[in-house]
Amino acid sequence: MFDSIFNSTNADATITVTSLLISIVTALLLGAMISVVNMKTQKENPPSQSFNLTLVILPAIVAVIILLVGSNIARAFSLAGAFSIIRFRSVAGGPKDITYVLFSLAVGLASGMGYIGYAALMAAILCLVVILLESFKFGRSSASSKTLKITIPEDLDYEDAFEGVLKRYTLHYHLSMVKTTNLGSLYQLIYNVTIKENIKEKDLIDELRCRNGNLNISLIMSPQTKEY
C-alpha cells in the first residue's frame, strides 16, 4: 500500500496511463480535501475562491511536473529555466495560507512520485490535526485586537491626551501612524489596541470623544494589514 506505483529505478519506462491517472486523480481528491478543511476552519476570515481553487489544482500540477521530470536531470534543469520566467503578482498571504500551500505541494510531490498511500495518510493526519486545533481554538487569544482611529484638532497634544483612557480599557496599545486630514486642519491617530475582556467598547469611545472634541472615532474589528 505504501510502495510507489512507479519503478524508482526507471520511472520513464514504467509510467502507464493507468498509473498517471491514479496519481492525478489522487492529487485532485486530496487537494479538494485540503481546500474543504481550509474553508471550514477559517469561517471568521474566509479565504477567496481563487485560493480555494489553487489548493485543489496545485497538488495535481506538482504531480504532473514530477511525472514529467522523473529521474531525468536534463528535464529538471529545463523545467527550472521555464519556471524562472514566471512572476507571481499576488501579495503573499498569512502564515496559515502559506502553510496550506506547502501542504498541497507535499501532497502533490508524494502523488507524483507514486506514493499514493503515503500521500493519503499524510493528508488525512494533517487535516485531522488542523480540525482538532481549530475546534479547541489552540493559540487563540481571548482578548480582541482592533484598530482605533481618532481624529483630533491640530492644536491638541496627542502624545499624552489619551494615555490614561487607553491604559484603563486596553491590555496593550501602540500608536502606529499619525497623519493629517481635512486639508491639514486635523490629525488622525491610528492605534493598534488589544481590548480587555468584559469591556464595553461604547464606554471607551465615549471617554475618547470627551477628549478629542467629539470628532470622528473609528474602532475597526481587525488590525490593519500592511498595504502594498
Side-chain angles (χ1 to χ4, degrees):
M1 176 180 176
F2 296 104
D3 292 333
S4 175
I5 61 175
F6 305 119
N7 186 348
S8 60
T9 59
N10 190 10
D12 292 336
T14 56
I15 294 178
T16 63
V17 174
T18 302
S19 58
L20 175 66
L21 291 176
I22 291 175
S23 293
I24 294 177
V25 171
T26 300
L28 286 172
L29 291 176
L30 296 179
M33 182 175 70
I34 296 171
S35 182
V36 170
V37 170
N38 180 46
M39 288 186 288
K40 296 297 183 182
T41 56
Q42 297 201 62
K43 293 181 179 179
E44 295 180 0
N45 187 22
S48 63
Q49 182 185 19
S50 60
F51 185 73
N52 291 326
L53 292 176
T54 299
L55 292 181
V56 177
I57 301 298
L58 185 59
I61 295 175
V62 175
V64 171
I65 292 173
I66 295 300
L67 289 172
L68 291 175
V69 172
S71 58
N72 193 310
I73 298 178
R75 291 182 188 174
F77 280 106
S78 298
L79 282 173
F83 286 130
S84 66
I85 66 175
I86 298 176
R87 296 292 184 269
F88 294 96
R89 299 297 182 184
S90 59
V91 177
K96 185 179 288 188
D97 293 339
I98 296 173
T99 300
Y100 274 105
V101 171
L102 292 176
F103 188 5
S104 298
L105 287 173
V107 169
L109 286 171
S111 301
M113 294 174 66
Y115 292 103
I116 305 301
Y118 283 118
L121 181 62
M122 172 182 62
I125 291 176
L126 292 181
C127 284
L128 180 61
V129 169
V130 170
I131 293 173
L132 289 176
L133 291 177
E134 186 67 25
S135 62
F136 286 107
K137 298 181 179 180
F138 179 81
R140 184 177 299 179
S141 175
S142 57
S144 56
S145 297
K146 295 177 172 61
T147 297
L148 176 64
K149 296 182 179 181
I150 306 175
T151 303
I152 62 173
E154 61 178 346
D155 58 348
L156 179 66
D157 182 11
Y158 60 82
E159 293 184 356
D160 300 321
F162 307 104
E163 184 176 355
V165 177
L166 294 176
K167 281 184 177 180
R168 287 200 305 273
Y169 286 92
T170 67
L171 295 174
H172 171 77
Y173 66 91
H174 172 68
L175 180 60
S176 60
M177 184 183 299
V178 179
K179 64 180 182 179
T180 60
T181 184
N182 197 26
L183 298 178
S185 62
L186 300 174
Y187 282 90
Q188 187 177 67
L189 313 180
I190 300 178
Y191 288 89
N192 292 328
V193 298
T194 303
I195 307 294
K196 293 180 179 179
E197 293 185 65
N198 302 321
I199 288 294
K200 291 184 178 180
E201 295 172 354
K202 183 180 182 302
D203 294 339
L204 169 62
I205 295 175
D206 286 342
E207 286 206 34
L208 293 174
R209 288 170 54 208
C210 294
R211 301 200 178 197
N212 80 327
N214 205 26
L215 295 175
N216 289 337
I217 296 176
S218 300
L219 188 60
I220 303 172
M221 293 302 106
S222 60
Q224 282 187 320
T225 56
K226 183 178 181 181
E227 296 181 0
Y228 294 85

